[in-house]
Amino acid sequence: SQSTLVNLSFDDEYLSVDFQCLQNPFWSQNTYTKHNTEMWNQEVFELFIAEGSATPTQYLELEINPNNALFVGWIENPTKETPQKLTFVPYEKAGIKHEVKANGDTWSGKMQIPWALLGGKKDTFRLNFYRIVSLKSHPNTDWKCTPADCDFTCWSPSMSGTTPRFHRPDAFGILHLK
């Protein structure tokens, strides 16, 4: 029931992702402010992306939250179900330009991802977009989302049932650049 709007564009240097997270009344309770932390525990917008059309076993995971903190890491997932390894890309070296804004119960943002981070500009990528949104107020600052108090949504459903599992690359959609 929480809409998310995503627009993609690109040039010779960057893939740009503009997004709006609507119906998000508790976004201001997000407490993660440092880059490359466990931001998936609270409100966040995510992109998983890998070059090529085959189902990837390695992909880049990008997260951005309402505090403009960024998570950048390469995921190794040979089982296509449970990641086996996370290799952080230091924030300073990722080269991602990013910003967020908030107005009422909406927060929005933009990420400009350098093609160099993705191994160069290619014709085809596998990707998925995710959003974690809180459904209730949290009295403690160390809160973590659970299926009982947050929604875990994605553009191309990972069909994980009652337990959120975004790391299912078989569900990634296909992006063709023209």
Side-chain angles (χ1 to χ4, degrees), residues 91-110:
Y91 171 77
E92 303 78 20
K93 294 185 180 193
I96 297 172
K97 298 177 184 180
H98 59 97
E99 65 181 344
V100 297
K101 300 174 189 169
N103 184 15
D105 71 350
T106 296
W107 71 280
S108 60
K110 180 174 190 167

Side-chain angles (χ1 to χ4, degrees), residues 48 55-57 59 75-84 158-161 163-172:
F48 293 6
T55 299
T57 56
Y59 44 89
I75 304 294
E76 290 184 35
N77 187 355
T79 67
K80 300 179 188 173
E81 287 285 330
T82 305
Q84 302 297 306
S158 56
M159 306 306 279
S160 58
T163 302
R165 290 182 29 213
F166 290 162
H167 290 275
R168 289 183 152 181
D170 285 326
F172 291 10

Side-chain angles (χ1 to χ4, degrees), residues 73-171:
W74 283 100
I75 304 294
E76 290 184 35
N77 187 355
T79 67
K80 300 179 188 173
E81 287 285 330
T82 305
Q84 302 297 306
K85 183 178 177 185
L86 163 64
T87 304
F88 280 112
V89 176
Y91 171 77
E92 303 78 20
K93 294 185 180 193
I96 297 172
K97 298 177 184 180
H98 59 97
E99 65 181 344
V100 297
K101 300 174 189 169
N103 184 15
D105 71 350
T106 296
W107 71 280
S108 60
K110 180 174 190 167
M111 292 187 288
Q112 290 180 284
I113 306 156
W115 290 118
L117 182 62
L118 297 170
K121 184 179 172 189
K122 311 291 187 206
D123 292 333
T124 304
F125 291 85
R126 294 292 298 267
L127 57 73
N128 211 346
F129 304 99
Y130 304 95
R131 180 174 169 204
I132 300 173
V133 57
S134 177
L135 301 174
K136 69 174 203 152
S137 182
H138 301 275
N140 300 318
T141 59
D142 63 345
W143 64 276
K144 293 182 179 182
C145 278
T146 69
D149 59 19
C150 291
D151 268 351
F152 299 79
T153 62
C154 51
W155 168 65
S156 182
S158 56
M159 306 306 279
S160 58
T162 58
T163 302
R165 290 182 29 213
F166 290 162
H167 290 275
R168 289 183 152 181
D170 285 326

